[in-house]
């Protein structure tokens, strides 16, 4: 047996274990179970026409201090109004952290969007630092129900998803609107060159932004880009019970995977990026496909890349291990900070 084969098998085993652990963990994340479920199909274009993506709410700098990166950088806490389900602080306020160069030269601004139910931002902070080392401005947005916007007394991610598609649509639209507000602030105050980079759930938000806005670059890693397919076809038995397809809440989306898939295809149509012609040209979009992904699955990423004609990076990894693939962080940072059609040319520091 060659060492390469042994290495590939090890990656496959680790990927399988970690992705199964993700499914187990996700069954512990709070999921809203309303008494009634909105079963009305929604037209994708009209849904986004009624959003604030193209008329984002203004942001303000709530706090500013000298960054740990040194006097050449400012660290800003951004805050603004937001609108989504629920009455807690995080459903009404956007919060993000930006690192901005004091010298406002021709440097890109990179917005990083985290994954679902992340308990902390260690990886995002590290990746943002790699981009700043290449001279880029960066910002990290806390998505609704996550991190600083978590429901009081609950865990990051609790309440983001629901058995009611109307709730899912509303929270995802709020996430996209919040990200669009950060983008508008960055273009007005920092740099006209904006890249969005998202992982998993953040990848969903990134692809929906690409569908609605003309961005300089978009990078989506193992993106949750087709919620209906992933939610109905990928989950193992414990997750199916959690999602109401078997057990106590069976029938919430349909009596089986096929029926649930058809129901979600209609009710979550505005959240499937493939239902749109992207405003960001396909040559500026990079999708990262993990071939052993048990959470999102590689097929939705493959389909979206084909339909949008994007760049597609493929790794023999799972949903969790793809971010540790050899050289991927460097590739992401190089692509995110590139300022022209050469993806390897970054701004000078």
């Amino acid at each position: 047996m060659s060492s390469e084969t042994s290495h590939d098998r090890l990656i496959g085993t680790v990927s399988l274990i970690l992705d199964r652990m993700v499914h187990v963990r996700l069954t512990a994340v709070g999921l809203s179970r309303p008494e009634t479920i909105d079963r009305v199909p929604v037209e994708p274009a009209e849904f986004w026409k009624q959003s604030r993506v193209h008329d984002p709410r203004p942001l303000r700098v709530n706090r500013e201090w000298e960054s740990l990166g040194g006097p050449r950088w400012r660290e800003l806490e951004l805050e603004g109004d937001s609108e989504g389900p629920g009455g807690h602080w995080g459903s009404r306020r956007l919060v993000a952290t930006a690192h901005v160069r004091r010298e406002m030269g021709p440097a890109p601004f990179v917005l990083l969007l985290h994954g679902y139910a992340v308990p902390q931002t260690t990886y995002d902070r590290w990746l943002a630092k790699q981009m700043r080392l290449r001279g880029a401005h960066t910002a990290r947005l806390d998505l609704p129900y996550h991190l600083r916007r978590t429901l009081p007394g609950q865990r990051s991610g609790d309440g983001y998803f629901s058995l009611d598609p109307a709730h899912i649509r509303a929270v995802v639209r709020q996430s996209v609107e919040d990200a669009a507000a950060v983008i508008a602030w960055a273009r007005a105050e920092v740099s006209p060159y904006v890249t969005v980079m998202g992982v998993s759930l953040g990848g969903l938000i990134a692809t929906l932004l690409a569908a609605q806005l003309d961005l300089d670059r978009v990078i989506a890693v193992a993106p949750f880009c087709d919620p209906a397919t992933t939610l109905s076809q990928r989950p193992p038995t414990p997750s199916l019970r959690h999602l109401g397809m078997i057990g106590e809440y069976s029938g919430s989306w349909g009596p089986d995977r096929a029926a649930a898939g058809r129901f979600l295809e209609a009710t979550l149509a505005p959240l499937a990026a493939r239902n749109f012609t992207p405003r960001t040209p396909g040559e500026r979009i990079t999708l990262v496909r993990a071939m052993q992904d048990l959470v999102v699955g590689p097929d939705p990423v493959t389909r979206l890349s084909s339909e949008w004609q994007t760049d597609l990076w493929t790794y023999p990894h799972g949903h969790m291990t793809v971010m540790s693939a050899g050289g991927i962080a460097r590739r992401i940072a190089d692509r995110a900070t590139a300022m022209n059609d050469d993806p390897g040319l970054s701004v000078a520091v």
Side-chain angles (χ1 to χ4, degrees), residues 278-315:
R279 297 286 184 90
T280 300
E283 61 266 23
R284 296 191 214 148
I285 301 171
T286 300
L287 303 181
V288 179
R289 174 178 59 180
M291 294 305 294
Q292 297 170 348
D293 190 336
L294 296 183
V295 179
V296 166
D299 292 345
V301 184
T302 304
R303 181 177 181 181
L304 181 61
S305 178
S306 176
E307 295 192 8
W308 279 11
Q309 292 296 291
T310 73
D311 195 7
L312 180 65
W313 298 350
T314 299
Y315 291 89

Side-chain angles (χ1 to χ4, degrees), residues 95-172:
V95 61
T97 300
H99 288 79
V100 176
R101 295 174 65 182
R102 292 190 181 276
E103 302 85 4
M104 292 296 185
F109 178 95
V110 183
L111 173 61
L112 291 94
L113 301 170
H114 61 75
Y116 175 54
V118 294
Q120 55 192 7
T121 58
T122 303
Y123 182 83
D124 294 329
R125 289 172 184 266
W126 177 81
L127 190 58
K129 183 178 179 180
Q130 304 313 303
M131 295 177 185
R132 291 197 297 276
L133 289 173
R134 290 162 170 77
H137 313 277
T138 64
R140 293 176 290 103
L141 170 66
D142 291 6
L143 297 177
Y145 293 92
H146 287 82
L147 303 169
R148 289 169 288 184
R149 302 172 71 180
T150 300
L151 287 165
Q154 298 193 35
R155 291 162 296 194
S156 178
D158 285 355
Y160 191 96
F161 285 110
S162 169
L163 293 184
D164 184 7
H167 176 95
I168 299 175
R169 292 193 305 265
V171 180
V172 171

Side-chain angles (χ1 to χ4, degrees), residues 208-253:
L208 292 174
L209 285 165
Q212 299 299 318
L213 300 176
D214 185 3
L215 299 166
D216 293 279
R217 294 202 184 278
V218 172
I219 303 168
V221 180
F224 179 51
C225 58
D226 192 345
T229 297
T230 295
L231 290 173
S232 63
Q233 304 304 316
R234 301 301 300 181
T237 297
S239 294
L240 290 176
R241 183 174 291 108
H242 189 59
L243 292 171
M245 281 187 272
I246 59 175
E248 181 182 356
Y249 297 95
S250 62
S252 297
W253 292 345

